[in-house]
Amino acid sequence: MNTRLSRVYVVRIWLEPTQGGEGVWRASVTETRTQERRYFTNPEELKQFLETCVSLRVISEVQTAPPHPSEPD
């Protein structure tokens, strides 16, 4: 596996208690390489963040990756 093109994210999802008793779902995402952590209160925001993050990294890293060696004829 090419580690330049891979990232590991830890997604944590939990139910936070509220006074009404129903609770609210919360989430955090941590990139293991940088330990950068982001928090979310909305599942759609979490989904959008992950989609954007993956898309941007793939585009950026594919553009800067060295060319693959040619296959033998």
Side-chain angles (χ1 to χ4, degrees):
M1 175 184 354
N2 185 346
T3 57
R4 286 180 47 126
L5 296 177
S6 68
R7 293 287 183 262
V8 176
Y9 295 91
V10 175
V11 178
R12 181 175 171 248
I13 301 171
W14 67 95
L15 185 62
E16 192 171 285
T18 60
Q19 289 182 354
E22 292 181 23
V24 178
W25 288 104
R26 304 287 191 216
S28 69
V29 176
T30 304
E31 183 179 357
T32 60
R33 183 177 57 89
T34 64
Q35 293 302 305
E36 179 182 352
R37 182 175 295 146
R38 298 187 94 164
Y39 293 92
F40 301 89
T41 58
N42 178 309
E44 192 57 40
E45 290 173 359
L46 170 63
K47 178 182 175 242
Q48 183 64 42
F49 171 78
L50 291 172
E51 288 174 348
T52 300
C53 196
V54 169
S55 296
L56 290 176
R57 290 203 191 277
V58 168
I59 290 169
S60 171
E61 292 177 357
V62 166
Q63 289 174 350
T64 60
H68 293 286
S70 298
E71 293 287 328
D73 293 339

